[in-house]
């Protein structure tokens, strides 16, 4: 099937676009480009473009609830093939301002769930290498 259009950005609403772009640049690489104070774009090397849009009164999702204020989507990041690599990645994202949302049964599930500084959920995943 032929595509109708090409995905340009994944856009996250947030109270401070520059701050959140800097957070994700530290997590996934790239350099934030501020197009104006309300819109910052981050091209992740060998990955997608993330854009951050100022949303006055932003209320973060209440993970993992399925009612009002629920999670709309989340980002997954490969953090390595060993738990030591995931532990090191966790230490870094926590130092950048993330907070743990769920580590229950993480070794059984192969992922851990965090909130970014604006409250959006994201995961650090352990990916077994072939």
């Amino acid at each position: 099937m032929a595509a109708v259009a090409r995905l340009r950005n994944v856009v996250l609403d947030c109270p401070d676009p520059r701050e959140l772009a800097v957070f994700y640049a530290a997590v996934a690489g790239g350099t934030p480009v501020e197009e104006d104070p309300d819109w910052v774009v981050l091209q992740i090397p060998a990955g997608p473009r993330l854009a951050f849009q100022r949303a006055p009164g932003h209320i973060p999702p209440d993970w993992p609830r399925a009612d009002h204020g629920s999670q709309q989507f989340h980002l997954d990041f490969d953090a390595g093939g060993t738990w030591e690599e995931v532990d090191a990645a966790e230490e870094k994202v926590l130092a950048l301002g993330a907070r743990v949302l769920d580590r229950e049964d993480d070794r059984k599930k192969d992922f851990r769930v965090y909130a970014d500084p604006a409250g959006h959920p994201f995961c650090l995943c352990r990916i077994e290498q072939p």
Side-chain angles (χ1 to χ4, degrees):
M1 177 193 262
V4 173
R6 183 174 59 91
L7 179 65
R8 178 173 176 81
N9 297 312
V10 175
V11 181
L12 285 84
D13 289 348
C14 58
D16 185 336
R18 180 91 183 134
E19 176 185 30
L20 202 55
V22 167
F23 171 83
Y24 279 108
V27 172
T31 302
V33 175
E34 187 171 322
E35 296 185 2
D36 68 50
D38 294 330
W39 183 264
V40 179
V41 175
L42 174 65
Q43 175 65 59
I44 296 175
R49 275 175 41 131
L50 296 179
F52 306 91
Q53 174 176 272
R54 186 175 313 280
H58 170 73
I59 298 172
D62 189 8
W63 186 89
R65 292 176 53 175
D67 58 359
H68 180 69
S70 69
Q71 170 185 333
Q72 301 300 310
F73 74 97
H74 70 272
L75 303 170
D76 285 344
F77 294 94
D78 293 345
T82 67
W83 284 110
E84 291 77 19
E85 291 171 304
V86 176
D87 290 341
E90 176 180 87
E91 185 177 316
K92 291 174 183 175
V93 299
L94 294 176
L96 292 167
R99 62 185 168 84
V100 175
L101 290 179
D102 182 8
R103 284 192 65 194
E104 185 176 330
D105 297 327
D106 60 342
R107 293 182 188 253
K108 183 176 167 185
K109 298 184 290 190
D110 283 343
F111 64 89
R112 297 175 183 165
V113 186
Y114 305 86
D116 68 23
H120 303 101
F122 71 95
C123 295
L124 293 179
C125 304
R126 185 182 70 86
I127 305 300
E128 288 191 33
Q129 306 302 317

